Amino acid sequence: MGRVSSGLLLTLVLALLVVPLCFYAGPPVLAALDREQPRRQLVVPAYQQAPAVLSAGRDDSPAPADPGAPLPDTKVLGGLLDAELAVPGSGQFHGTVVDVLSGEILYDLNGAAPATPASSLKLLTAAAALSVLGSDTRFETSVYAGGTPETVVLAGGGDVLLGTGASDENAVVGHAGLQTLAEETAAALSGRGVSGTVSVQLDDSLFTGDVLSPAWNREDIQAGEAAALYPLAVNSAWAVEGRQYGARVDDAALAAADAFTAALKTAAAGYGFEVDARVTRGTAGDGAERLATVASAPVAEQVTQMLLASDNYLAEALGRMAALKTGREGSFDGAAAAVEAAVSGLGVNTAGMVLADVSGLGSGTEISALQLASAVRAALTSPDSSVRDLPYALPVAGLSGTLASRFAGDTPAAGLVRAKTGTLFAVTSLTGFVTDADGRLLSFAIVANGLENNTAQARAAVDAAAAVLAGCGCR
């Protein structure tokens, strides 16, 4: 019996030795037989394994900071980043890298100096919207009874992602549909015994002040980068529904009201009343009865849409809604003040920060790379669950949003870096975070200003610097 047990034990030991040996030695041996040079099989930690596609949930969330992971050596990291950011031609780089766990600044290149961040500013607007409004908040577009039984008032509630068709609960753009609103309105009017011809008034008084920012230049407006801002719009005011680029309509509120009126006219046919095609502006009286309403996608989903598409119109609307929530005017100045205050409330030192708008399109904004990187760290470490939605909303290198076509090829940044891009004629920027090769979670911001005919080279340098952060233990 003892001999049998010893034999079984010996067999098991041999199996434990031989099977791994076959697993590791087999491929090199076969390769040698096939006259190929065997390659070393590297074990890549989970936090450095880039996803091939975006996950539906949060499986691609940032890896938790490992307090035992070594910090990059600042001299080694600095030398590598300086080398990547040495771009011939005009311009100046600003850069900051921060260890998320400790808050230690690991790299500083003019990091405290004011800079123009372009659309990287939207990251601050996103943080403000999430912290002030909350992830689950929805904006309502409603129809109220007017001054006469045959009058209805369409009131904008801040949703600039309306659709002209039926509400689509699975969509962000078009989550609230004007056709659905019209059908509910027609049914309500019928229930009130309305007959004859119904007229529609438009109440877009929620936002105040200038509808076009004085910081925007005419060429950008003509190119569709921005448009007159109103508290209701179809598809973020883009002229062609279903597209997130191209020309925008001049009066998005009136265009939405026209679409609602046309839908109401169709819906009214089944109830025996007519609808006047002409829309006038007006307001619902105090205590007016609400006849119908549709609600937007949650703020968290709108923030994701805004960051992925780098949508200036949506950014400005979210900024104004944050301003109204904090008791400020729903204006450009109110939005800028609300965003700065919210970011300060997250623990970011906003001294010297100047916001010309909250989308990054206008001239005159001054934000340091340190403030941008600190805002990312604040979002990653915030106790507010709404603010912690921000990291998941950022584009992923090589996979989504404005980063989908960047970081191509063999780069450690693809699938791992999450960041907001920024681009103007003389500006390029990238602000986000990444877990480095040793498991250290880093936030960063790199901004180049004063570029002239070398923007493409500067953008490539910024991407290369982000790749350094992703692939380097730097010790």
Side-chain angles (χ1 to χ4, degrees):
M1 187 66 178
R3 292 180 180 179
V4 174
S5 299
S6 299
L8 287 174
L9 181 60
L10 181 59
T11 301
L12 289 173
V13 170
L14 288 173
L16 290 173
L17 291 173
V18 172
V19 171
L21 181 61
C22 292
F23 181 78
Y24 287 105
V29 170
L30 291 175
L33 292 174
D34 202 25
R35 296 185 180 180
E36 291 182 1
Q37 181 66 32
R39 297 182 180 181
R40 181 186 177 196
Q41 302 298 310
L42 297 176
V43 178
V44 181
Y47 53 77
Q48 282 292 114
Q49 293 177 6
V53 295
L54 289 176
S55 66
R58 292 188 171 180
D59 295 334
D60 54 344
S61 60
D66 179 4
L71 279 170
D73 182 278
T74 55
K75 290 184 178 180
V76 176
L77 178 62
L80 291 170
L81 292 178
D82 286 345
E84 296 294 355
L85 299 178
V87 176
S90 63
Q92 182 180 39
F93 279 94
H94 304 250
T96 300
V97 178
V98 178
D99 175 54
V100 170
L101 187 63
S102 66
E104 181 180 343
I105 297 175
L106 304 176
Y107 178 71
D108 178 20
L109 177 65
N110 306 311
T116 299
S119 281
S120 278
L121 169 56
K122 290 184 177 72
L123 191 145
L124 304 190
T125 303
L130 291 167
S131 63
V132 171
L133 299 170
S135 292
D136 297 328
T137 296
R138 300 171 186 264
F139 308 143
E140 294 182 340
T141 304
S142 302
V143 176
Y144 293 90
T148 69
E150 292 77 25
T151 303
V152 296
V153 181
L154 172 67
D159 185 0
V160 298
L161 299 179
L162 293 164
T164 59
S167 296
D168 184 354
E169 64 179 9
N170 296 316
V172 179
V173 181
H175 189 94
L178 293 173
Q179 178 186 327
T180 297
L181 184 63
E183 291 171 353
E184 292 180 2
T185 301
L189 289 173
S190 176
R192 294 162 63 93
V194 172
S195 60
T197 301
V198 172
S199 61
V200 177
Q201 291 184 337
L202 167 63
D203 183 353
D204 57 3
S205 61
L206 184 65
F207 292 169
T208 55
D210 294 336
V211 294
L212 290 171
S213 171
W216 297 343
N217 67 57
R218 185 177 301 275
E219 290 75 16
D220 285 334
I221 296 171
Q222 292 174 342
E225 294 294 338
L229 195 65
Y230 296 97
L232 72 165
V234 172
N235 187 36
S236 207
W238 269 297
V240 179
E241 191 170 9
R243 292 184 183 176
Q244 278 76 57
Y245 60 89
R248 301 198 199 227
V249 297
D250 294 330
D251 190 332
L254 186 59
D258 285 340
F260 167 78
T261 302
L264 183 61
K265 184 178 181 66
T266 300
Y271 295 102
F273 62 87
E274 299 292 328
V275 177
D276 190 336
R278 295 170 297 177
V279 177
T280 59
R281 278 182 159 89
T283 58
D286 292 338
E289 180 184 358
R290 185 160 67 175
L291 304 178
T293 188
V294 288
S296 71
V299 164
E301 295 181 15
Q302 294 191 55
V303 163
T304 299
Q305 172 70 21
M306 182 262 288
L307 293 174
L308 291 178
S310 198
D311 185 350
N312 297 316
Y313 199 93
L314 179 54
E316 297 294 343
L318 288 170
R320 291 199 181 198
M321 294 303 290
L324 291 168
K325 182 70 173 181
T326 56
R328 296 176 171 86
E329 290 289 326
S331 62
F332 285 108
D333 288 343
V339 168
E340 183 176 342
V343 171
S344 177
L346 294 176
V348 177
N349 184 351
T350 58
M353 183 182 292
V354 178
L355 303 184
D357 59 18
V358 296
S359 60
L361 180 64
S363 59
T365 289
E366 294 184 350
I367 304 173
S368 70
L370 175 59
Q371 289 169 331
L372 290 169
S374 297
V376 176
R377 178 177 182 259
L380 286 164
T381 59
S382 175
D384 185 337
S385 60
S386 289
V387 177
R388 290 199 307 273
D389 279 334
L390 175 55
Y392 309 102
L394 290 169
V396 181
L399 290 178
S400 66
T402 53
L403 285 182
S405 60
R406 290 169 64 167
F407 296 97
D410 185 16
T411 168
L416 297 176
V417 169
R418 277 183 175 263
K420 181 67 195 77
T421 58
T423 303
L424 291 172
F425 180 74
V427 178
T428 190
S429 66
L430 192 67
T431 303
F433 66 93
V434 67
T435 303
D436 75 6
D438 283 331
R440 205 77 192 190
L441 189 59
L442 310 175
S443 66
F444 68 89
I446 305 173
V447 182
N449 282 181
L451 303 172
E452 186 176 353
N453 299 321
N454 61 343
T455 303
Q457 294 91 329
R459 185 184 299 115
V462 168
D463 289 357
V468 165
L469 295 177
C472 179
C474 300
R475 299 189 309 282

